[in-house]
Amino acid sequence: MNSKTFIKSYCQIKDNSISLNGKVLYEGQNTEPFTDFIKSAYKNLDTKYAKFFKMDSLSKLAFLAADVLLKHENVIAEKEENIAIVLSNNASSLDTDRKYQKSIEDDNNFFPSPAVFVYTLPNICIGEISIKHKLYSENSFFIFDNFNPSYLHAYSTGLLEEKKAEKVLCGWVNLDEGEYNAFLYLVTKEEGQIPHTIKKINSIY
């Protein structure tokens, strides 16, 4: 595909830090666990979404990265936007799967929770983002061994070329056993300063 596409903005959350287009927006304490960090970041960034605290950790990670990025791009729920969502990771929903397994493995202490079970699919985080920002376009969640910019580049470019979306929110959202990394970027055909190439994606990842 030879048509030009561009990255409008990108957000990354890792190592207890949140950055937007390479600029740090929030830094937590180096030793605090993810659960404490993401809660503090939510409050510090003035994110307003009551359901946030009911989400699993993967959804919180994806949701906050997307919220930072989409607010920066002035995406508001009152104005319908044709934005597709394409996310990926390598741990799927293992973090939540383990919690759910613990709730059912003991016959003497059997308490399966629907509130936990609902998050045993990795693509649920896409649903949380879509609900908050009222996005009704194409969406997919892929599982790769590692961050795969080649596939994301081809897939998002295809969505834009086939006019299935005007913009694509895509990237990597992985969380497993306390280790986490979210890297989301918004792709569009609108001319911009950041070229949407595999090389550039790798350089800002």
Side-chain angles (χ1 to χ4, degrees), residues 133-201:
H133 296 280
K134 290 185 169 56
L135 304 179
Y136 308 111
S137 302
E138 297 274 331
N139 65 76
S140 299
F141 199 111
F142 298 101
I143 309 299
F144 301 122
D145 288 335
N146 299 288
F147 178 56
N148 192 334
S150 299
Y151 192 91
L152 294 176
H153 177 271
Y155 198 91
S156 58
T157 302
L159 289 174
L160 294 172
E161 282 297 294
E162 294 168 16
K163 297 183 179 180
K164 291 184 177 180
E166 294 177 359
K167 301 173 185 176
V168 184
L169 176 66
C170 56
W172 178 260
V173 185
N174 200 57
L175 184 144
D176 189 28
E177 297 186 331
E179 297 294 324
Y180 60 92
N181 182 16
F183 172 65
L184 300 186
Y185 54 98
L186 190 66
V187 182
T188 176
K189 294 184 78 172
E190 296 174 17
E191 188 166 350
Q193 295 183 344
I194 307 175
H196 179 227
T197 63
I198 298 169
K199 181 178 180 180
K200 189 61 180 180
I201 296 169

Side-chain angles (χ1 to χ4, degrees), residues 42-194:
Y42 170 90
K43 294 177 180 177
N44 184 273
L45 296 171
D46 196 30
T47 307
K48 293 180 172 63
Y49 192 61
K51 195 181 175 185
F52 181 84
F53 296 101
K54 297 180 180 179
M55 296 181 195
D56 72 319
S57 293
L58 180 66
S59 292
K60 287 178 180 176
L61 179 64
F63 178 91
L64 196 58
D67 198 62
V68 167
L69 189 56
L70 296 176
K71 282 195 298 188
H72 174 73
E73 291 297 327
N74 296 315
V75 174
I76 56 175
E78 289 74 21
K79 179 184 177 184
E80 187 172 332
E81 299 259 9
N82 186 12
I83 301 176
I85 305 177
V86 182
L87 301 183
S88 59
N89 73 11
N90 68 14
S92 187
S93 57
L94 275 175
D95 185 69
T96 301
D97 295 346
R98 293 190 188 97
K99 292 176 183 176
Y100 188 72
Q101 178 61 32
K102 287 180 180 179
S103 76
I104 63 174
E105 64 187 9
D106 186 351
D107 291 338
N108 297 318
N109 193 24
F110 187 79
F111 58 100
S113 169
V116 176
F117 177 75
V118 73
Y119 288 103
T120 55
L121 289 172
N123 63 323
I124 295 300
C125 62
I126 292 179
E128 299 289 9
I129 296 168
S130 299
I131 291 169
K132 166 69 189 298
H133 296 280
K134 290 185 169 56
L135 304 179
Y136 308 111
S137 302
E138 297 274 331
N139 65 76
S140 299
F141 199 111
F142 298 101
I143 309 299
F144 301 122
D145 288 335
N146 299 288
F147 178 56
N148 192 334
S150 299
Y151 192 91
L152 294 176
H153 177 271
Y155 198 91
S156 58
T157 302
L159 289 174
L160 294 172
E161 282 297 294
E162 294 168 16
K163 297 183 179 180
K164 291 184 177 180
E166 294 177 359
K167 301 173 185 176
V168 184
L169 176 66
C170 56
W172 178 260
V173 185
N174 200 57
L175 184 144
D176 189 28
E177 297 186 331
E179 297 294 324
Y180 60 92
N181 182 16
F183 172 65
L184 300 186
Y185 54 98
L186 190 66
V187 182
T188 176
K189 294 184 78 172
E190 296 174 17
E191 188 166 350
Q193 295 183 344
I194 307 175

Side-chain angles (χ1 to χ4, degrees), residues 14-18 26-33 37 180:
K14 68 175 183 177
D15 300 329
N16 287 18
S17 177
I18 300 176
Y26 175 78
E27 279 189 305
Q29 299 177 18
N30 289 333
T31 57
E32 67 181 340
F37 161 74
Y180 60 92

Side-chain angles (χ1 to χ4, degrees), residues 10-29:
Y10 60 95
C11 176
Q12 188 154 41
I13 302 179
K14 68 175 183 177
D15 300 329
N16 287 18
S17 177
I18 300 176
S19 62
L20 176 67
N21 297 330
K23 180 180 179 181
V24 175
L25 296 183
Y26 175 78
E27 279 189 305
Q29 299 177 18

